[in-house]
Amino acid sequence: MNNDNLLPFQQLDIYKAAKELAQLVHLAGIRDAELRDQATRASKSAFLGLCEGLPSDSAGIRRRHFDIANNSLHEVVGDLAEALGVVDLEVAAHIQSLAFGSSA
């Protein structure tokens, strides 16, 4: 998809990072079904919350959606899957670095 077909908020770095985070979590291969489901849903929620909040001109609406997205992001980066050994450490590190805005 070229930039001519994107909405302005879809060109933002935060949008791109949240989308990549959701993709990484989906492909992470978390070997515990419950944690995989929860992490996948939380990463989708973080991305979709941003998608709802970014185009809004209302500070209150943006703040509400960004709070939800932020809470979901923190749910994703909780390291329980890593602690239980049900996700590869390199994958977990990549997800963490993306969430914290640093390069892997």
Side-chain angles (χ1 to χ4, degrees), residues 2-3 5 9 22 30 33 37 54 58 63 68 72 74 79 98:
N2 68 39
N3 285 347
N5 297 328
F9 77 90
I30 299 171
D37 178 62
L54 285 170
S58 168
R63 183 173 31 257
I68 292 167
S72 293
H74 282 82
D79 59 358
L98 183 61

Side-chain angles (χ1 to χ4, degrees), residues 13-102:
D13 289 341
I14 189 66
Y15 172 89
K16 293 173 188 175
K19 186 175 180 180
E20 183 180 352
L21 180 85
Q23 291 168 329
L24 287 172
V25 170
H26 178 74
L27 298 172
I30 299 171
R31 295 177 295 276
D32 177 284
E34 186 177 6
L35 288 177
R36 181 177 54 250
D37 178 62
Q38 191 67 25
T40 301
R41 287 188 295 113
S43 67
K44 290 175 184 178
S45 178
F47 175 73
L48 294 173
L50 282 172
C51 289
E52 286 187 88
L54 285 170
S56 179
D57 291 331
S58 168
I61 289 173
R62 286 173 68 99
R63 183 173 31 257
R64 181 171 57 91
H65 288 296
F66 292 168
D67 281 346
I68 292 167
N70 186 47
N71 291 340
S72 293
L73 175 66
H74 282 82
E75 188 174 358
V76 170
V77 298
D79 59 358
L80 182 58
E82 183 180 337
L84 296 177
V86 296
V87 67
D88 293 333
L89 295 179
E90 293 169 6
V91 172
H94 189 179
I95 291 169
Q96 291 277 345
S97 68
L98 183 61
F100 295 125
S102 58

